[in-house]
Structure formats: structure tokens, C-alpha cells
């Protein structure tokens, strides 16, 4: 089960006393867009959305396709820091993560049944959709851009989850067992909006009016560790969101992101130095045609 201790030795990249290499600076970014909840009814029908199947080792999911030119007036752009964070592109790590999660479920190492799940930097949202299909009780999708949620994530959930009703005006209850919600914003501020996140500015769940007595059991994220400057904020957000003692994080990303400086190893160095979570590799993909890709599991020591 997901609460078991990792079968691998905790990852060690630096000694506790040795210096890291996160001091590299990046140019300042423009102010981020505001943090908002995007309702399922807020899809943008004016943007052309086409769907196609993607095969994931015996599992078939549907993925949408929209144009960055049409949504953001950007041509051939994968990333514009501070404005567009690549959510309209289906990155390889998202597919790697779904495959790894499927294997973890099949091997009895992971169960989504009845769990509170958060997908950070969701984009297409395929890992979160997989959690929906595997019986999660709550699935919250987060992306930097509200437009990504409106034009791609929500339609993708609609295409893959039969009981999802995007015309709903309030919190979507697919059935008595599942809640799906969508949140846009940056990692420094989004915890103030997420229902199951620690926030010193509130001591109760704003969506239910009850004391905050739960956090997310499982956090999923793919291709989120490319920016050096964002890594500390991402890790602090994870600690605000993950359920103490038994919560787990599944992360898929490239070992190194050449040209922008991030990667799994830089992020894991932050995790190691903090000393709260242990890390173990779940999968490695070295296909010879791209940078080495990895899937890691983080769990409490």
C-alpha cells in the first residue's frame, strides 16, 4: 500500500553539510495571474478542441489538442515564463507518470480508492484523470493558467470520466463518491485557495466551513521541476498540502532540463536537505531519443 516505506534506500545527492547548486539566479518574472477556482461551466467553446486516443500500456485515455496561437496568441511556444507555463502541450512525463501509477496499482503498492488527490501543474490532467477512474474520492487539478483548465483540462476530464458533468455551475459531484475541482494560480499563493492545504490565514476549510482536518493523500505532478527558481516554492506547497505521516507524492520529470537548469536531481536535493521526506525511484525511461526521464515517489520517513 502507499503507506509502506520505500523499498529502495533514500536518495542521497549531497551530504548534509555540503553546498548545493541551487544558487543560480534567473531573471525576474512578470506578476503572476491571480489565483482562482475555475468552474466546470467556464469552458471556452470558442476554442477548437479536438480529441485523440493515447495508448498507455493496455490503458487507453483520450487527450485533447488546442492551439497556443488560438488560446494565448502565441505561435510555436512551449513556455513563456510568467505568462504561459506549457500546459497546452502533452509532455512525456505525464505519460510516464500514468504508466508508473498503473503499475503501482497493479502491484498493490498504491490505491486511489477513497483518497484525496491533487495534481499540480496538471495541463492535460491525464494522471488526475487516471485517479478519477481508479476511485479517488476527491481530485483537484491545479495549473498556472486558467485558460489551460478552461480549454483543455476540463474538456479532457469530460472526455474520459463518464459521470463528469461540465455544465455544473458549482462544485462538481460526479456521484456520491467523487468531487472534481479546478484551481489556477502560482505555487506561492495557490495554497490559500486549495481546500485541503495548510494556510496560516485560515483555520477552516472555506468550501465546507469546517475545521481543516484533512489534507491530500496523494499528490501527482509531471514536468513541474524545470525552473530552478520555482523549486523551493513547489516543495513548500507540497508540504502545505500533503497529509502528514501517510501522504505520498509521485513525480515524473527529466533528470536534467538542459538550458533552464532544473530537473529531478535538483528538486530531490531540496527534499533531502529538508530531511522530512524520503525518495525512491519508481521508473526510469532512457529511450535514446530524449533526455533520461524518471518517476519518483516521495513519502514520509
Amino acid at each position: 500500500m502507499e503507506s509502506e516505506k520505500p523499498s529502495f534506500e533514500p536518495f542521497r545527492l549531497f551530504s548534509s553539510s555540503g553546498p548545493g547548486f541551487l544558487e543560480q539566479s534567473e531573471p525576474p518574472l512578470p506578476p503572476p495571474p491571480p489565483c482562482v477556482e475555475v468552474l466546470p461551466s467556464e469552458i471556452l467553446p470558442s476554442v477548437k478542441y479536438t480529441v485523440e486516443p493515447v495508448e498507455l500500456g493496455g490503458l487507453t485515455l483520450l487527450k485533447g489538442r488546442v492551439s497556443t496561437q488560438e488560446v494565448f496568441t502565441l505561435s510555436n511556444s512551449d513556455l513563456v515564463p510568467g505568462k504561459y507555463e506549457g500546459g497546452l502541450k502533452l509532455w512525456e512525463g505525464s505519460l510516464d507518470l500514468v504508466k508508473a501509477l498503473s503499475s503501482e496499482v497493479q502491484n498493490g503498492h498504491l490505491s486511489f480508492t477513497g483518497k484525496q488527490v491533487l495534481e499540480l501543474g496538471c495541463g492535460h490532467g491525464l494522471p488526475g484523470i487516471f485517479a478519477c477512474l481508479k476511485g479517488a474520492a476527491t481530485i483537484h487539478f491545479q495549473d498556472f493558467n486558467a485558460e489551460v483548465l478552461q480549454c483543455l483540462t476540463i474538456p479532457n476530464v469530460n472526455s474520459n470520466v463518464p459521470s463528469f458533468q461540465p455544465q455544473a455551475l458549482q462544485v462538481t459531484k460526479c456521484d456520491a463518491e467523487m468531487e472534481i475541482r479546478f484551481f489556477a494560480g502560482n505555487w506561492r499563493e495557490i495554497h490559500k485557495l486549495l481546500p485541503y492545504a495548510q494556510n496560516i490565514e485560515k483555520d477552516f476549510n472555506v468550501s465546507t466551513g469546517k475545521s481543516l482536518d484533512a489534507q491530500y493523500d496523494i499528490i501527482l505532478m509531471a514536468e513541474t521541476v524545470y525552473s530552478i527558481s520555482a523549486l523551493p516554492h513547489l516543495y513548500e506547497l507540497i508540504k502545505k498540502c500533503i497529509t502528514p505521516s501517510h501522504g505520498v507524492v509521485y513525480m515524473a520529470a527529466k533528470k536534467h532540463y538542459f538550458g533552464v537548469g532544473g530537473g529531478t536531481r535538483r528538486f530531490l536535493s531540496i527534499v533531502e536537505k529538508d530531511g522530512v521526506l524520503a525518495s525512491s525511484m519508481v521508473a526510469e525511461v532512457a529511450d535514446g531519443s530524449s533526455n533520461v526521464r524518471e518517476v519518483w515517489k516521495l513519502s514520509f520517513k
Side-chain angles (χ1 to χ4, degrees):
M1 303 301 293
E2 67 274 15
S3 59
E4 294 177 349
K5 291 185 180 299
S7 57
F8 296 88
E9 286 294 319
F11 179 77
R12 292 286 181 266
L13 183 61
F14 298 107
S15 65
S16 59
S17 60
F21 57 120
L22 293 171
E23 293 79 10
Q24 181 177 342
S25 61
E26 293 180 342
L29 300 178
C35 296
V36 295
E37 178 169 5
V38 177
L39 299 179
S41 58
E42 296 178 42
I43 57 175
L44 299 180
S46 60
V47 174
K48 183 180 179 181
Y49 169 86
T50 59
V51 67
E52 59 190 57
V54 55
E55 300 293 335
L56 297 168
L59 173 69
T60 301
L61 294 178
L62 300 175
K63 68 179 183 71
R65 182 187 297 273
V66 295
S67 166
T68 54
Q69 173 71 40
E70 193 172 355
V71 178
F72 290 103
T73 67
L74 301 171
S75 179
N76 299 321
S77 296
D78 288 340
L79 178 68
V80 180
K83 179 178 180 181
Y84 166 60
E85 295 293 334
L88 297 178
K89 178 176 179 177
L90 181 59
W91 300 90
E92 296 167 312
S94 180
L95 305 181
D96 295 338
L97 182 54
V98 174
K99 292 177 183 178
L101 294 173
S102 180
S103 178
E104 289 281 277
V105 170
Q106 292 176 9
N107 294 334
H109 298 154
L110 173 67
S111 173
F112 286 102
T113 304
K115 300 298 176 60
Q116 314 272 8
V117 180
L118 171 66
E119 184 179 356
L120 295 174
C122 63
H124 280 68
L126 296 186
I129 288 169
F130 179 80
C132 293
L133 299 176
K134 292 299 179 180
T138 299
I139 308 93
H140 292 166
F141 294 88
Q142 178 274 334
D143 197 88
F144 182 80
N145 298 107
E147 294 91 342
V148 169
L149 299 172
Q150 294 168 325
C151 300
L152 189 61
T153 315
I154 295 173
N156 271 358
V157 173
N158 183 42
S159 297
N160 286 280
V161 183
S163 57
F164 181 66
Q165 298 178 353
Q167 71 272 18
L169 297 178
Q170 300 298 326
V171 174
T172 296
K173 294 280 189 180
C174 291
D175 50 47
E177 303 298 328
M178 188 185 302
E179 172 191 288
I180 301 177
R181 297 172 70 177
F182 305 88
F183 300 91
N186 70 91
W187 291 329
R188 288 193 188 192
E189 304 291 333
I190 196 65
H191 68 280
K192 299 176 182 178
L193 193 61
L194 292 172
Y196 301 113
Q198 291 178 344
N199 181 3
I200 59 174
E201 297 179 9
K202 69 173 186 285
D203 58 3
F204 62 92
N205 186 323
V206 294
S207 66
T208 65
K210 298 179 181 179
S211 296
L212 183 62
D213 57 1
Q215 292 167 266
Y216 295 98
D217 301 302
I218 303 169
I219 295 177
L220 308 174
M221 57 186 196
E223 309 279 9
T224 56
V225 295
Y226 55 87
S227 169
I228 296 175
S229 63
L231 298 184
H233 306 302
L234 175 60
Y235 183 57
E236 288 303 315
L237 175 60
I238 287 172
K239 290 201 295 180
K240 289 183 173 73
C241 291
I242 195 69
T243 301
S245 74
H246 72 266
V248 294
V249 180
Y250 282 90
M251 170 186 72
K254 293 179 176 64
K255 186 175 182 179
H256 301 292
Y257 288 88
F258 298 107
V260 289
T264 58
R265 303 313 171 95
R266 288 185 182 268
F267 182 72
L268 291 172
S269 71
I270 296 178
V271 176
E272 178 188 332
K273 289 176 182 179
D274 187 51
V276 174
L277 300 175
S279 54
S280 60
M281 185 183 289
V282 176
E284 182 180 71
V285 182
D287 56 15
S289 62
S290 62
N291 189 8
V292 175
R293 310 193 304 271
E294 300 174 332
V295 179
W296 287 83
K297 177 181 177 180
L298 307 180
S299 55
F300 285 90
K301 293 182 176 180

